[in-house]
Amino acid sequence: MKSKSILNENSLVFLEQYLNNASPTGYENEGQQIWMDYLKPYVDSFITDLYGTAVGVINPEAPYKVVIEGHSDEISWYVNYITEDGLIYVIRNGGSDHQIAPSKRVNIHTKKGIVRGVFGWPAIHTRGRSGKAEETPKIENIFIDCGCSSKQEVEDLGVHVGCVITYPDGFEILNGNKFICRAIDNRMGGFMIAEVARLLKENNKKLPFGLYIVNAVQEEIGLRGAEMITQTIKPNVAIVTDVCHDTTTPMIDKKIEGDLKMGRGPVIAYAPAVQNKLRDLIVETAEEKKIPFQRHASSRVTGTDTDAFAYSNGGVPSALISLPLRYMHTTVEMVHREDVEHVIQLIYESLLKIENNHNFSYFKK
């Protein structure tokens, strides 16, 4: 299977629709429906839970259960305080970056529909005029202006404390092979595992285990969706995919963050939560299939849903395959198309390697 043939025209149409749809933490339902509609031809059944995690299942009657997983939520803001003059102050919903906020357009999600606004910021001409150092963006001084002159006018639009706020920045392909958008972290993961399911179906692969394609919610606020769904599925093995940092851009210290670059292939994690035999199987798969890959040491935790699966149900052999990404938690997150295809290929081929070595006691230490 050549990586250049993995993504087809329908795949890219789905990817654009899926990325452009807002799916903030706690409000993932619409995005999950888009994902499930795409996945439906490639799975036998679905599981959903009360918080919105969606799971496509292949071979659901099999006693042995393998999970491949990404997460569906994106960082966002909450309306926290509305001034009498109609300006809106915010708090985070996930790891939203206050430094990129000034001058960004926003969508405020209300029961009356989307209300448009902007993160305002004082003009350069007016800053530092008193001799004091210029203020930098902070959570307590960034604010949204939706064109209203009073609190009542804001509330009449349907905006209230607790409304969630997202950025509208959409999908684009840069220089032919770079995908850019907000929320690539980590709806690209949901996209990639859906493509694995498509390839299994199109290539008529019959697995000797149940495959659970998990698109979890609420990763951005503490791995909560994975924490819940792993108790429902009770998997025997989990392969998680998320993003990691491309460390070759300015102002990143490789001695701290490692040496990782988009275009050089998927990143295989080394961490206490990563089960050694499962990771070794993935490395062997990459080497046998000549899939380029990189390695990353993650110290105490991976910070991904891998941790939630690994330490659940008395311990689940888990591994992490990451996609190198530039500008994480901004509206211009960037990944390389070839890396996306290689992650898909590596997960797909790893599942087939598990199939060919399905003495499942292999994963016991």
Side-chain angles (χ1 to χ4, degrees):
M1 181 177 60
K2 296 182 182 301
S3 61
K4 67 180 181 181
S5 66
I6 286 177
L7 302 185
N8 59 34
E9 185 176 344
N10 287 337
S11 302
L12 294 177
V13 169
F14 163 58
L15 176 61
E16 182 169 4
Q17 180 189 19
Y18 186 47
L19 283 174
N20 285 349
N21 176 78
S23 192
T25 299
Y27 300 84
E28 299 95 341
N29 287 354
E30 188 175 333
Q32 293 291 63
Q33 190 60 58
I34 293 170
W35 184 81
M36 291 171 71
D37 288 345
Y38 180 77
L39 193 63
K40 187 174 182 179
Y42 312 126
V43 298
D44 298 318
S45 61
F46 284 100
I47 298 169
T48 57
D49 70 14
L50 294 175
Y51 277 85
T53 290
V55 185
V57 187
I58 297 172
N59 198 14
E61 301 304 318
Y64 198 87
K65 302 174 182 179
V66 176
V67 159
I68 57 174
E69 192 259 12
H71 73 82
S72 62
D73 59 321
E74 66 180 287
I75 56 171
S76 56
W77 303 97
Y78 277 122
V79 174
N80 187 47
Y81 170 62
I82 306 170
T83 72
E84 292 303 321
D85 294 329
L87 299 177
I88 297 169
Y89 286 81
V90 298
I91 58 171
R92 293 184 177 93
N93 184 20
S96 300
D97 188 346
H98 54 280
Q99 292 201 40
I100 71 161
S103 81
K104 296 296 297 182
R105 302 174 198 270
V106 298
N107 288 336
I108 306 172
H109 298 260
T110 81
K111 289 186 176 179
K112 294 183 177 181
I114 297 294
V115 173
R116 299 280 285 162
V118 298
F119 272 110
W121 193 246
I124 189 171
H125 317 73
T126 67
R127 303 198 304 266
R129 297 279 292 256
S130 64
K132 296 180 181 179
E134 286 191 41
E135 278 203 71
T136 57
K138 294 176 285 193
I139 190 69
E140 61 265 28
N141 68 11
I142 58 173
F143 62 91
I144 291 172
D145 186 337
C146 52
C148 297
S149 57
S150 69
K151 181 177 181 179
Q152 186 61 55
E153 196 176 347
V154 172
E155 292 176 340
D156 287 345
L157 293 175
V159 177
H160 56 74
V161 169
C163 283
V164 71
I165 303 156
T166 60
Y167 296 115
D169 302 64
F171 176 74
E172 184 178 347
I173 299 177
L174 195 65
N175 197 29
N177 59 9
K178 310 301 188 305
F179 297 153
I180 61 169
C181 197
R182 49 158 251 297
I184 287 177
D185 173 15
N186 178 39
R187 284 212 287 288
M188 190 63 77
F191 170 76
M192 293 187 297
I193 59 176
E195 289 299 279
V196 172
R198 177 179 66 82
L199 292 176
L200 290 169
K201 183 74 169 183
E202 291 178 354
N203 294 327
N204 199 30
K205 298 296 182 181
K206 305 295 184 184
L207 300 174
F209 48 78
L211 182 63
Y212 291 71
I213 302 111
V214 177
N215 208 14
V217 299
Q218 298 196 22
E219 188 273 350
E220 295 291 355
I221 49 89
L223 322 181
R224 300 307 187 189
E227 187 177 275
M228 292 183 279
I229 200 65
T230 188
Q231 302 300 331
T232 300
I233 297 171
K234 300 190 184 305
N236 298 98
V237 170
I239 298 174
V240 174
T241 185
D242 206 323
V243 295
C244 64
H245 301 289
D246 177 326
T247 64
T248 64
T249 56
M251 298 181 285
I252 297 178
D253 188 341
K254 292 181 183 178
K255 296 188 295 296
I256 296 172
E257 304 294 344
D259 185 7
L260 305 170
K261 185 176 183 178
M262 68 177 186
R264 291 201 307 222
V267 176
I268 298 174
Y270 286 70
V274 174
Q275 207 261 4
N276 294 334
K277 287 188 175 181
L278 180 57
R279 184 201 58 236
D280 290 347
L281 178 143
I282 293 168
V283 170
E284 290 164 10
T285 300
E287 291 172 340
E288 290 170 6
K289 298 299 179 179
K290 302 189 184 319
I291 302 169
F293 70 95
Q294 307 172 74
R295 291 181 169 95
H296 182 226
S298 296
S299 189
R300 296 179 62 192
V301 297
T302 70
T304 72
D305 283 339
T306 311
D307 303 331
F309 279 96
Y311 300 129
S312 70
N313 299 293
V316 175
S318 301
L320 172 62
I321 302 172
S322 297
L323 177 69
L325 175 142
R326 289 183 172 180
Y327 320 123
M328 192 180 297
H329 285 202
T330 74
T331 59
V332 291
E333 294 180 336
M334 179 188 299
V335 295
H336 199 298
R337 175 177 176 147
E338 289 182 5
D339 289 337
V340 172
E341 294 180 327
H342 282 133
V343 169
I344 295 166
Q345 185 184 9
L346 184 53
I347 296 173
Y348 175 89
E349 296 291 354
S350 295
L351 293 174
L352 298 186
K353 192 171 182 68
I354 294 173
E355 174 191 13
N356 293 331
N357 297 273
H358 64 270
N359 174 15
F360 297 122
S361 61
Y362 173 85
F363 298 112
K364 294 180 179 177
K365 289 192 175 182

